[in-house]
Amino acid sequence: MESSTFDVIVIGAGVMGSSTAYQTSKRGQKTLLLEQYDFLHHRGSSHGESRTIRATYPEDYYTQLVLESYALWEKAESEIGYKVYFKAHQFDMGPSDCKSLRAVIASCLKNSLPHRALNSNQVAHQFSGRIRIPDDWVGVYSEKGGVIKPSKAVSMFQTLALKNGAVLKDNIEVRDIKREANGGVLVTTATGETFRGKKCVVTVGAWTKKLVKKVCGVELPIQPLETTVSYWRIKDGHVSDYAIGSGFPSFASYGDPYVYGTPSLEYPGLLKVGVHGGFPCDPDKRPWGPGISIEAMKEWIGKRFSGRVDPSGPVSTQLCMYSMTPDEDFVLDFLGGEFGKDVVLGGGFSGHGFKMAPAVGRVLADLALTGETEGVDLKYFRIGRFVENPKGNVKDYEEQVNLFIRSLI
């Protein structure tokens, strides 16, 4: 049977692949989007009810990607007719000698991002006692925060891609990608079905390392982690204080543990708080729990929210996946080798990529269609950085993701 031919084949229909398919189809390219499981499945990194969006980063090369993404989220919303991005301010906090938090402030200054550094008294005043920090901590307050609805966002990009003429196929596992003698690629699936494409974009999340090694023998340092998010009950009389739109921010707390969270949105009366970390795993043989120890979180919640959030334990937990690189930076590059610039790779989003999906999709589409892009310095995201240094980009501050080792006892 003759293979179907496309201008661009996108493998992996999480948020990055769906955003890329939206971009390529919007530019008039005949696009195929393939997903190994059901669309909107819960086995990867793009499901669930909320993700934070913030422009305050220790790495100054992410700020412009986030700012572009704010605009692109709203652009896509205008095309689909519903909201996936909900505005809030952002609040970062941590010990005053924390190098990561100092780097956040330096990055804000370098990128001319409006912000305010607050001491403990100013934090208590800013949030009317809803957040409190120790006297030897500092807070960084910015208007550029918010919450993204992930499953709804992925569906939005897929719907828009479909409206733009893209072909979407789920429950199709890609087994191989071959370079065609006359240019382009041949994609082969588990059932033996084949598709031809002038260009191919690979965005398979936690399966990146496995697929890339099978396709070209390159071993990328991308480690899947299973992580847990949890929801904590806001005490009676304070529910509205922590709701989206109340002035309560999306937040990140630097240190050990690194804690993040969002205003109450998806589950009224519950506050999402998580530890930024997880356990190494095989994405095809996941333990599906039991999750991260909550003892440190219980202590953190008890101290930060003035007794207004019950710290005795979460009322609900959900599992998700990270795809970690050694430096916690993305991989946005050509696969290279025999594929040249015909295969583009987007992966290693390290638990903080979702917010930037619109800009990442634009960059991956640029690379596939023109071989170049603008608005981002790709040197930080090249595969080759791990050849020069196995740890990748050198950073003069603490790692932010906690890598836990699961006890076998």
Side-chain angles (χ1 to χ4, degrees):
M1 188 173 79
E2 187 174 347
S3 303
S4 301
T5 302
F6 296 86
D7 295 319
V8 182
I9 299 175
V10 182
I11 303 172
V15 72
M16 298 305 182
S18 298
S19 174
T20 303
Y22 158 67
Q23 284 283 339
T24 56
S25 61
K26 188 175 182 179
R27 302 182 202 186
Q29 303 297 304
K30 186 179 179 183
T31 299
L32 173 64
L33 178 62
L34 298 176
E35 168 55 50
Q36 65 173 329
Y37 301 122
D38 286 334
F39 287 133
L40 307 180
H41 67 84
H42 285 212
R43 303 188 199 186
S45 307
S46 294
H47 62 282
E49 296 302 320
S50 63
R51 298 287 190 280
T52 60
I53 180 168
R54 58 185 169 90
T56 49
Y57 260 87
E59 302 91 346
D60 56 42
Y61 42 87
Y62 283 112
T63 303
Q64 293 307 315
L65 280 173
V66 178
L67 294 178
E68 178 186 356
S69 292
Y70 276 112
L72 292 178
W73 280 118
E74 292 184 329
K75 172 64 176 173
E77 285 179 331
S78 71
E79 295 175 17
I80 198 69
Y82 55 73
K83 288 179 64 64
V84 300
Y85 156 53
F86 296 83
K87 293 182 179 180
H89 293 165
Q90 170 68 19
F91 182 65
D92 299 281
M93 65 191 108
S96 58
D97 61 352
C98 173
K99 290 183 178 180
S100 293
L101 196 54
R102 290 184 177 187
V104 167
I105 296 172
S107 176
C108 289
L109 293 170
K110 181 176 181 178
N111 286 286
S112 300
L113 184 71
H115 67 285
R116 287 192 292 136
L118 306 176
N119 62 31
S120 59
N121 289 331
Q122 291 169 322
V123 168
H125 176 74
Q126 177 69 51
F127 299 112
S128 303
R130 290 173 290 182
I131 298 177
R132 293 189 182 275
I133 63 174
D135 289 341
D136 60 349
W137 279 31
V138 65
V140 181
Y141 178 78
S142 166
E143 293 187 358
K144 289 294 184 180
V147 182
I148 304 291
K149 300 277 281 184
S151 292
K152 193 176 180 184
V154 176
S155 177
M156 174 185 73
F157 284 131
Q158 292 175 358
T159 302
L160 290 173
L162 191 65
K163 287 176 66 176
N164 292 334
V167 176
L168 280 63
K169 292 179 177 289
D170 64 355
N171 292 297
I172 294 185
E173 180 187 355
V174 170
R175 287 286 178 85
D176 203 3
I177 307 169
K178 296 289 188 185
R179 177 72 184 269
E180 295 269 71
N182 58 349
V185 299
L186 181 69
V187 173
T188 303
T189 72
T191 63
E193 190 175 7
T194 58
F195 303 95
R196 284 187 164 83
K198 296 177 183 177
K199 302 290 182 178
C200 180
V201 181
V202 176
T203 52
V204 293
W207 290 266
T208 300
K209 184 175 182 177
K210 285 188 172 187
L211 183 59
V212 168
K213 185 175 182 180
K214 187 169 186 179
V215 167
C216 64
V218 173
E219 183 110 13
L220 291 176
I222 296 178
Q223 174 63 58
L225 301 185
E226 185 177 85
T227 188
T228 307
V229 298
S230 54
Y231 291 86
W232 303 71
R233 190 176 304 282
I234 304 165
K235 291 184 178 179
D236 290 345
H238 300 290
V239 170
S240 62
D241 295 340
Y242 291 87
I244 191 86
S246 69
F248 187 77
S250 49
F251 59 88
S253 179
Y254 290 84
D256 186 12
Y258 178 107
V259 175
Y260 68 94
T262 65
S264 180
L265 174 61
E266 57 267 39
Y267 303 120
L270 302 184
L271 192 67
K272 178 181 175 180
V273 186
V275 170
H276 199 34
F279 294 95
C281 70
D282 181 334
D284 294 311
K285 299 176 183 179
R286 287 174 59 182
W288 295 100
I292 297 169
S293 171
I294 62 169
E295 292 307 311
M297 290 180 64
K298 290 164 68 172
E299 180 181 358
W300 189 93
I301 288 168
K303 292 179 177 179
R304 294 290 84 78
F305 298 133
S306 304
R308 302 179 190 183
V309 177
D310 183 357
S312 61
V315 297
S316 177
T317 60
Q318 296 176 354
L319 296 173
C320 192
M321 295 284 283
Y322 285 178
S323 301
M324 297 300 304
T325 60
D327 53 16
E328 302 174 23
D329 287 326
F330 308 162
V331 173
L332 307 173
D333 201 359
F334 302 104
L335 195 53
E338 66 173 311
F339 294 103
K341 292 187 175 183
D342 285 347
V343 177
V344 178
L345 180 64
F349 293 104
S350 301
H352 66 101
F354 198 102
K355 65 180 73 68
M356 287 173 264
V360 168
R362 190 270 300 169
V363 168
L364 295 176
D366 287 349
L367 293 176
L369 299 178
T370 70
E372 57 187 16
T373 191
E374 56 185 28
V376 56
D377 190 343
L378 289 178
K379 73 178 182 183
Y380 298 106
F381 307 117
R382 296 290 190 194
I383 295 172
R385 72 185 191 265
F386 300 115
V387 176
E388 300 163 5
N389 178 6
K391 294 184 178 181
N393 296 317
V394 177
K395 302 179 184 182
D396 186 29
Y397 41 84
E398 306 89 349
E399 293 182 354
Q400 294 164 44
V401 173
N402 294 297
L403 183 66
F404 301 104
I405 304 301
R406 193 178 299 279
S407 173
L408 299 180
I409 300 175

